[in-house]
Amino acid sequence: MTTSPTPTAWFDDPAEVDRYLEGELDPDTQEARDADVAAGRMDVDRLERRRRELEGLAAAGARHRATLGHALPEGLESRVRFALRRDRTRAPRRWIAAAAAIVLVAVGLGVLGDRGEQAEAMPPEVIEAIAAARMSPSAPRGCDDTEHLGRLPIVQDGHLNVWRCEEEGKRTVAKLYRPEDLPAIGYAAIAAEGVERGPDLGRTDLEDMVVFDLVYGNRRHYFAVGRAWLDYVETIHPGRASCRACHNTSRVGEKNPHNIVQRSWRLRR
Amino acid sequence: MAEAREHSFEGTCLEFLPDCYAFALSLTRRSHDAEDLVQDTFVKAQRAFASFQPGTNAKAWLFTILRRLHIDRFRRERLRPTPLPQDELVEMARGAGDVPAEPEPLPWDALPPGALEDAVNEIPDPFRLPVRLRDLDGFAYKEIGAILNIPAGTVMSRLHRGREYLRRALVRLAEPDRGEAAGTEEGPRD
């Protein structure tokens, strides 16, 4: 026959003492423990010391909460309010966007027939870029080097991640990969200051996404960004939102080195 | 009607923006990530506001959404932190519990501004969030359990162990010279 261990009294368990002192018990248990204390079953001095300590902690916590508003990053509240407004206005159209996405995928798979004769077929990479952007609306940037922070918000927002950043002559080059662990897809070039001519930049406008494309290193790269984000940036840097999609605000005031080509894809390969 | 509901959302929830940002920062430890997480949390909360029960704790509701979003991101990015082995957790907890039977009172007056948050941030991960949610954010045990999706007993034990780490960190911050020496000899492992 085995004997079960003697159960520990609640006042010998510091976690239970805290629970009692913080009023986290149901009324019956609280009352029973009050009775234990009143009957002198535990060291009252120890209980009072712990009570004072928890009260000190609670007061310090309250002081901390009173200062939280001052620690809020500048612009965050307006950014959130903007996002909420934007989301409200877009909500009724969300099902349309979902339907459009299905159509796009179908188009990418060549399911639908011709809808136009003049334009080029939409590259499947455009759809892939949108899918990547939708799958990962937010992910950490890959470069901790402060020199690169903010240079690729599209990367910061998780559409792509930076594998590493390298200096090539006057250019900073970021090697990118998709967050879902696909192989690296190539490089994005960030023109250095003073460069007068950058590569042509393609722009595809969709309902809720904008896809930029550019050629670098003999490969074309596609970057999708949420239209809501671009619209938000436009309110901060009028006329420079598309720059901000790939570059940071250091580009403000510089001559745009890119020729932007508006894409009009045919909906079938 | 819908507009009134939207205004009600902002009226109910936006006052907790600073709390949400502080919590997001403690999860991500990077300000840009925290800002993104907060924005996404509020957008998601607005869409789900119909499910919020008036009269319940809106801050706890927002924190629950925020933490779930954070976990979703970890899963998606496969950057989930490696959980500590159970025996190591037990050993850490045991180490943290090695405090004198009658510890001296905490020197609240000697603590510099921001010391409490600094001290909380020194607590190892398994114990940090319950302490943060209780002592910085003022949540009840039950709410902490809901936010972190852990049983009440786990909240209680982690909170207690975490507070022992907190105590040591606060003593060290109040008296850096003495605290460093003490930390070298018997400070908790992390």
Side-chain angles (χ1 to χ4, degrees):
Chain A
M1 181 177 162
T2 58
T3 54
S4 57
T6 309
T8 308
W10 70 267
F11 40 78
D12 290 330
D13 179 346
E16 286 290 350
V17 172
D18 281 5
R19 194 173 164 210
Y20 165 67
L21 289 173
E22 293 185 295
E24 290 283 348
L25 298 163
D26 62 82
D28 289 346
T29 312
Q30 187 81 23
E31 197 176 322
R33 292 187 181 183
D34 284 342
D36 283 342
V37 173
R41 294 200 177 93
M42 75 169 293
D43 181 347
V44 177
D45 288 341
R46 186 161 68 91
L47 193 67
E48 281 310 307
R49 271 198 306 276
R50 186 59 180 167
R51 189 195 303 277
R52 282 196 297 275
E53 189 157 308
L54 290 176
E55 285 172 353
L57 203 51
R63 286 196 297 274
H64 164 81
R65 286 194 291 281
T67 64
L68 274 182
H70 303 296
L72 200 62
E74 192 179 340
L76 180 58
E77 183 171 347
S78 58
R79 176 182 160 180
V80 169
R81 283 184 185 277
F82 179 89
L84 292 174
R85 268 200 314 276
R86 181 80 199 180
D87 190 63
R88 282 198 296 271
T89 58
R90 298 191 74 81
R93 287 184 288 166
R94 203 168 289 133
W95 68 272
I96 297 175
I102 292 168
V103 170
L104 272 173
V105 170
V107 166
L109 296 172
V111 173
L112 299 183
D114 261 352
R115 293 293 185 274
E117 300 298 332
Q118 305 302 318
E120 290 180 63
M122 177 184 279
E125 290 86 353
V126 171
I127 296 166
E128 285 180 30
I130 294 166
R134 286 195 174 125
M135 283 177 68
S136 185
S138 182
R141 61 189 162 276
C143 286
D144 288 326
D145 181 350
T146 53
E147 185 186 348
H148 302 120
L149 295 186
R151 280 202 164 189
L152 283 166
I154 192 170
V155 173
Q156 288 179 26
D157 285 352
H159 308 151
L160 296 166
N161 278 355
V162 176
W163 182 255
R164 63 177 180 269
C165 296
E166 296 170 350
E167 293 299 323
E168 286 186 4
K170 289 186 175 181
R171 292 176 165 187
T172 304
V173 173
K175 187 172 185 182
L176 307 176
Y177 72 102
R178 293 210 178 92
E180 59 268 37
D181 288 345
L182 291 180
I185 61 166
Y187 292 88
I190 299 103
E193 284 182 23
V195 173
E196 291 186 355
R197 183 70 192 271
D200 282 358
L201 190 66
R203 176 176 170 140
T204 304
D205 282 85
L206 301 170
E207 165 81 11
D208 61 335
M209 289 276 174
V210 175
V211 184
F212 296 97
D213 64 86
L214 84 165
V215 171
Y216 180 72
N218 297 320
R219 296 186 64 180
R220 185 168 293 278
H221 305 280
Y222 297 85
F223 308 113
V225 63
R227 181 178 290 281
W229 181 85
L230 271 183
D231 289 349
Y232 169 68
V233 174
E234 185 67 29
T235 65
I236 304 171
H237 306 296
R240 309 297 295 192
S242 61
C243 312
R244 187 77 166 80
C246 295
H247 306 290
N248 72 357
T249 50
S250 67
R251 299 282 143 183
V252 173
E254 292 180 27
K255 182 178 179 293
N256 183 359
H258 299 287
N259 176 35
I260 296 181
V261 181
Q262 192 69 42
R263 302 293 187 200
S264 177
W265 305 111
R266 180 165 56 85
L267 299 180
R268 186 173 179 274
R269 268 188 275 195
Chain B
M1 177 94 174
E3 195 175 331
R5 183 108 184 128
E6 287 146 11
H7 287 152
S8 171
F9 170 77
E10 296 198 358
T12 304
C13 296
L14 270 181
E15 66 172 295
F16 300 118
L17 188 61
D19 304 81
C20 285
Y21 175 72
F23 185 43
L25 196 56
S26 77
L27 292 172
T28 64
R29 302 202 182 235
R30 292 197 286 197
S31 59
H32 279 83
D33 293 341
E35 289 181 31
D36 288 348
L37 184 56
V38 166
Q39 178 179 323
D40 292 349
T41 297
F42 275 83
V43 169
K44 188 163 187 177
Q46 178 173 259
R47 289 178 188 171
F49 192 53
S51 69
F52 173 71
Q53 297 190 339
T56 58
N57 190 337
K59 188 168 119 177
W61 180 67
L62 287 167
F63 273 39
T64 305
I65 294 171
L66 191 152
R67 186 176 169 277
R68 282 181 189 158
L69 272 177
H70 177 65
I71 288 173
D72 287 348
R73 288 179 184 188
F74 262 132
R75 284 191 182 135
R76 200 162 43 214
E77 294 154 19
R78 302 180 187 177
L79 291 173
R80 200 176 178 80
T82 309
L84 287 166
Q86 193 59 34
D87 54 349
E88 192 172 343
L89 273 179
V90 170
E91 195 175 334
M92 285 168 73
R94 194 176 290 135
D98 288 342
V99 291
E102 292 192 15
E104 55 195 287
L106 278 172
W108 293 112
D109 294 340
L111 287 168
L116 183 59
E117 184 159 27
D118 291 345
V120 168
N121 287 333
E122 287 187 22
I123 301 172
D125 260 341
F127 311 109
R128 181 167 55 92
L129 285 181
V131 176
R132 170 173 192 99
L133 292 170
R134 175 69 197 182
D135 295 330
L136 290 184
D137 293 307
F139 286 113
Y141 287 22
K142 194 175 173 184
E143 291 168 331
I144 296 170
I147 292 168
L148 300 181
N149 195 27
I150 54 176
T154 309
V155 171
M156 196 172 70
S157 58
R158 287 189 184 178
L159 182 59
H160 173 68
R161 299 304 185 187
R163 277 171 167 169
E164 297 303 343
Y165 282 100
L166 180 69
R167 157 175 269 285
R168 287 170 185 275
L170 286 171
V171 168
R172 192 164 55 245
L173 290 168
E175 300 175 61
D177 294 340
R178 196 192 73 171
E180 278 169 21
T184 307
E185 288 171 13
E186 55 182 0
R189 296 172 51 199
D190 58 18

